[in-house]
Amino acid sequence: MTLPMSDPTAWATAMNNLGMAPLGIAGQPILPDFDPALGMMTGIPPITPMMPGLGIVPPPIPPDMPVVKEIIHCKSCTLFPPNPNLPPPATRERPPGCKTVFVGGLPENGTEQIIVEVFEQCGEIIAIRKSKKNFCHIRFAEEYMVDKALYLSGYRIRLGSSTDKKDTGRLHVDFAQARDDLYEWECKQRMLAREERHRRRMEEERLRPPSPPPVVHYSDHECSIVAEKLKDDSKFSEAVQTLLTWIERGEVNRRSANNFYSMIQSANSHVRRLVNEKAAHEKDMEEAKEKFKQALSGILIQFEQIVAVYHSASKQKAWDHFTKAQRKNISVWCKQAEEIRNIHNDELMGIRREEEMEMSDDEIEETTETKETEESALVSQTEALKEENDSLRWQLDAYRNEVELLKQEQGKAHREDDPNKEQQLKLLQQALQGMQQHLLKVQEEYKKKEAELEKLKDDKLQVEKMLENLKEKESRTSRLGTSNQDSDYPLEKTMNSSPIKSEREALLVGIISTFLHVHPFGASIEYICSYLQRLDNKICTSDVERLMGRLQHTFKQEMTGVGASLEKRWKFCGFEGLKLT
């Protein structure tokens, strides 16, 4: 690395990055805070991973720490860092699985060898596609190498020591979208999805409960084995499951019926054993209940004694000798003990109530149940022999009962017909009477409403007659008023609606009309007033304009001229107005 000694900062930075203590020409340390264990200045992170011999990825830099890029020297070119005060170069959104970068701003004289020399420090290069317009696309072997290549975005490149424009350029590195990258990324995603599905399938298979063992098909040999297992108490459940499966499969036929009957008979022989086991468990449960009840009653007696101690301590003889804190503790303990005692007492009372309910329900059945448990084995054997006879007897009894019920229902129907008919007739008569009364009430209300409607019609006719009379009177009065108005109209018109109110105004109208008659193209109001003011100085322009405005059939106002010469002019139109009036 060749740097001039006149630039102490660059020299110190270069030596610091190489892990050597930076010294000046005289041997004094340039950077006093140099840490040789770290091999860099304290306060500045590692910032030049692209230097020759340092092919490492920079660690993450905190956002508040300034990033200082430095000069990178290569064999054929030199890379100068951008201005740190400028904002970072803009990049596009990163495509999925991006391994290709776009590099723009290359020197015109740049060759593919120089591009490889600059970017091979970022990682293994698979392909370079160079264009004639000073840009290229570089495809790396891994995705993380793209991040290292983006670090060079903004650097100025110079080939050798030349300052010619064709030997310089500003690098712009950005993500590029390539079909090869997308295809590899999709293949990788599909592979991960397959692995995930396989993992889930293996997990489901691991968590799935084991399937029951298959049941063997029926044969004489298997039948003998199952019959032996049915006699053994430990293997009874397995053998019964096999027997049930055979029966459901339809293995029973004339040839195997005797074998199946013997197996069913041996299964029935376990009923007595199961009943005895149940009785033993019930006995154990009763003994446990009795023990629990005795223990609970003993606990309750002790709680009563503790509560009695608290009550005796709260009497005045002993209470006065305790302190305030001791009294408070004693009262709290007493409340807690009473609550626990009440809970246990309720529990014991509930157990006793349940026992009483069971005793009341089982008083009648106790004697029969004890006898039945003792004789259940003998009865089961006899019932197995008599099942067919009993089923036939039950069928005959059912048929007989049905015939007797039919006979009884027919006799009851004949007997119950008469009173039922009488009751129905009475109910129908009562309903008819109620309907008749309701109809009478409705008819009376209907008659009343008809009378009211007739009255309303008469009132309506009288009102219509009165309205017609009033209309006739109004028409007569209106005719008389119009005739009076026609006779008085000329006088009122001459008296009230005359636009000329005085003799002075009549003289002014005459003078203005003669003046305007001489000026057929009209005259402005100022010109007319200047003529009138020679005759009388008291004449006002506004009064003259108001007077001319009232006489619309005599004078009219028009706009003449164009643009800046636009003005209002008054003209005499008395001859035309005479024809109109």
Side-chain angles (χ1 to χ4, degrees):
M1 185 180 297
T2 58
L3 291 174
M5 291 299 295
S6 60
D7 189 0
T9 306
W11 175 255
T13 305
M15 294 184 72
N16 184 23
N17 288 328
L18 291 172
M20 298 183 294
L23 301 174
I25 298 173
Q28 75 276 12
I30 299 174
L31 299 175
D33 58 346
F34 174 74
D35 190 357
L38 297 174
M40 60 185 75
M41 285 193 296
T42 57
I44 299 177
I47 51 177
T48 56
M50 302 289 94
M51 291 182 63
L54 297 176
I56 59 172
V57 179
I61 300 170
D64 54 348
M65 186 175 291
V67 178
V68 181
K69 295 183 178 181
E70 297 188 359
I71 302 171
I72 299 172
H73 295 275
C74 300
K75 294 179 181 179
S76 305
C77 61
T78 308
L79 300 176
F80 297 93
N83 189 355
N85 297 324
L86 294 176
T91 58
R92 61 180 295 181
E93 186 179 357
R94 182 168 189 157
C98 180
K99 296 181 183 178
T100 307
V101 294
F102 166 82
V103 181
L106 294 170
E108 292 184 13
N109 295 334
T111 60
E112 188 172 338
Q113 185 180 358
I114 294 171
I115 296 169
V116 170
E117 184 181 344
V118 173
F119 286 95
E120 69 180 354
Q121 304 171 53
C122 303
E124 182 184 354
I125 297 173
I126 295 175
I128 297 177
R129 294 190 298 274
K130 189 176 180 300
S131 175
K132 296 178 180 179
K133 296 183 179 180
N134 302 333
F135 71 88
C136 68
H137 289 84
I138 303 173
R139 189 163 188 263
F140 291 97
E142 298 294 336
E143 292 183 23
Y144 71 90
M145 299 175 184
V146 173
D147 298 323
K148 296 171 72 175
L150 288 174
Y151 180 82
L152 298 174
S153 184
Y155 269 80
R156 287 184 296 107
I157 184 170
R158 188 177 68 186
L159 303 180
S161 59
S162 175
T163 57
D164 191 4
K165 286 186 178 181
K166 293 183 179 182
D167 295 334
T168 59
R170 184 179 295 276
L171 298 179
H172 173 69
V173 186
D174 198 355
F175 300 109
Q177 192 168 5
R179 285 178 292 181
D180 297 340
D181 298 343
L182 183 61
Y183 176 73
E184 289 182 2
W185 181 79
E186 288 176 350
C187 292
K188 187 177 180 182
Q189 294 298 315
R190 284 194 290 271
M191 183 183 68
L192 293 173
R194 285 195 298 272
E195 291 177 356
E196 181 66 18
R197 287 197 298 272
H198 178 70
R199 188 187 63 78
R200 288 181 181 177
R201 195 180 300 111
M202 296 297 292
E203 188 70 18
E204 289 174 0
E205 290 178 358
R206 188 178 65 81
L207 297 175
R208 186 181 298 149
S211 59
V215 179
V216 296
H217 291 281
Y218 175 79
S219 64
D220 293 337
H221 176 68
E222 295 294 336
C223 179
S224 61
I225 293 171
V226 171
E228 293 295 328
K229 287 182 179 179
L230 284 170
K231 296 175 183 177
D232 191 358
D233 295 343
S234 60
K235 300 178 181 179
F236 173 72
S237 58
E238 181 184 353
V240 164
Q241 188 64 35
T242 305
L243 177 61
L244 177 63
T245 306
W246 284 349
I247 293 170
E248 288 178 351
R249 283 179 182 175
E251 301 287 349
V252 183
N253 50 33
R254 289 183 180 181
R255 180 174 170 275
S256 61
N258 293 327
N259 294 332
F260 275 101
Y261 181 78
S262 62
M263 285 189 287
I264 292 168
Q265 190 175 6
S266 60
N268 186 42
S269 65
H270 287 272
V271 173
R272 185 177 180 181
R273 177 181 63 82
L274 296 173
V275 170
N276 292 332
E277 286 181 1
K278 181 187 174 186
H281 288 305
E282 286 179 350
K283 189 177 179 181
D284 294 340
M285 186 177 67
E286 292 294 332
E287 290 176 357
K289 281 185 179 179
E290 191 65 29
K291 288 180 182 178
F292 175 71
K293 189 170 68 174
Q294 290 175 2
L296 191 61
S297 60
I299 291 167
L300 278 172
I301 291 167
Q302 294 178 11
F303 269 116
E304 291 288 347
Q305 292 173 353
I306 293 168
V307 171
V309 170
Y310 289 143
H311 284 303
S312 62
S314 61
K315 291 180 180 178
Q316 191 172 2
K317 291 181 181 179
W319 192 256
D320 294 339
H321 298 288
F322 293 117
T323 61
K324 191 173 181 180
Q326 291 172 348
R327 292 175 186 174
K328 187 175 179 181
N329 290 333
I330 291 168
S331 61
V332 170
W333 294 339
C334 183
K335 287 180 181 179
Q336 292 177 353
E338 286 178 349
E339 288 176 358
I340 297 169
R341 181 198 64 184
N342 294 332
I343 291 167
H344 285 77
N345 194 10
D346 293 339
E347 190 174 356
L348 184 61
M349 292 300 292
I351 293 169
R352 287 176 180 174
R353 286 195 204 96
E354 289 177 359
E355 288 178 353
E356 289 175 359
M357 293 291 290
E358 289 176 359
M359 289 293 290
S360 62
D361 292 337
D362 298 338
E363 278 178 357
I364 301 169
E365 298 177 359
E366 276 184 355
T367 56
T368 57
E369 283 179 358
T370 53
K371 291 178 181 179
E372 286 176 0
T373 53
E374 292 175 356
E375 297 177 358
S376 59
L378 297 172
V379 171
S380 62
Q381 292 178 1
T382 56
E383 284 178 356
L385 297 172
K386 295 178 180 179
E387 278 179 357
E388 294 180 358
N389 295 328
D390 289 339
S391 63
L392 293 171
R393 287 174 187 175
W394 291 338
Q395 289 177 3
L396 289 171
D397 292 337
Y399 289 137
R400 288 172 186 173
N401 291 330
E402 286 178 2
V403 171
E404 288 176 0
L405 288 171
L406 288 170
K407 290 179 179 179
Q408 290 176 3
E409 287 176 0
Q410 287 178 359
K412 287 180 181 178
H414 289 298
R415 292 171 187 173
E416 293 175 0
D417 280 344
D418 298 333
N420 287 334
K421 286 180 180 178
E422 289 178 359
Q423 290 178 0
Q424 289 177 0
L425 287 171
K426 287 179 182 179
L427 292 171
L428 289 170
Q429 287 175 359
Q430 291 176 2
L432 286 170
Q433 289 176 1
M435 292 290 289
Q436 287 174 358
Q437 291 176 1
H438 184 66
L439 285 170
L440 291 171
K441 289 179 182 179
V442 170
Q443 286 176 357
E444 289 177 359
E445 291 178 356
Y446 181 69
K447 289 177 182 179
K448 289 178 182 179
K449 289 181 178 179
E450 281 183 347
E452 290 177 358
L453 283 170
E454 289 177 357
K455 288 180 182 179
L456 290 170
K457 287 178 180 178
D458 295 337
D459 294 338
K460 185 179 178 182
L461 291 171
Q462 290 177 3
V463 170
E464 287 178 353
K465 289 179 181 178
M466 290 173 68
L467 285 170
E468 288 177 357
N469 294 329
L470 289 171
K471 286 179 180 178
E472 289 178 358
K473 289 179 182 180
E474 286 179 357
S475 63
R476 289 173 188 173
T477 53
S478 62
R479 289 171 187 172
L480 292 170
T482 52
S483 62
N484 292 329
Q485 285 177 3
D486 292 338
S487 61
D488 297 338
Y489 180 73
L491 293 172
E492 289 177 1
K493 189 174 181 181
T494 54
M495 295 296 291
N496 297 327
S497 63
S498 178
I500 299 171
K501 298 178 181 179
S502 63
E503 188 178 358
R504 177 182 172 81
E505 289 183 355
L507 290 170
L508 285 172
V509 169
I511 294 167
I512 292 168
S513 60
T514 55
F515 179 76
L516 291 175
H517 184 64
V518 177
H519 297 81
F521 298 106
S524 63
I525 189 67
E526 291 84 4
Y527 186 28
I528 296 167
C529 289
S530 63
Y531 176 73
L532 293 175
Q533 283 174 0
R534 292 181 185 174
L535 303 174
D536 188 0
N537 295 327
K538 296 178 180 179
I539 293 171
C540 182
T541 306
S542 59
D543 294 338
V544 174
E545 192 171 5
R546 202 178 298 115
L547 175 62
M548 294 172 71
R550 289 202 300 268
L551 299 170
Q552 295 179 358
H553 296 290
T554 309
F555 306 105
K556 65 178 180 180
Q557 192 179 25
E558 293 180 353
M559 301 292 290
T560 59
V562 179
S565 62
L566 192 67
E567 62 175 353
K568 296 179 181 178
R569 290 193 176 186
W570 288 90
K571 291 185 178 181
F572 179 73
C573 61
F575 300 113
E576 297 173 1
L578 184 63
K579 296 177 183 178
L580 295 172
T581 55

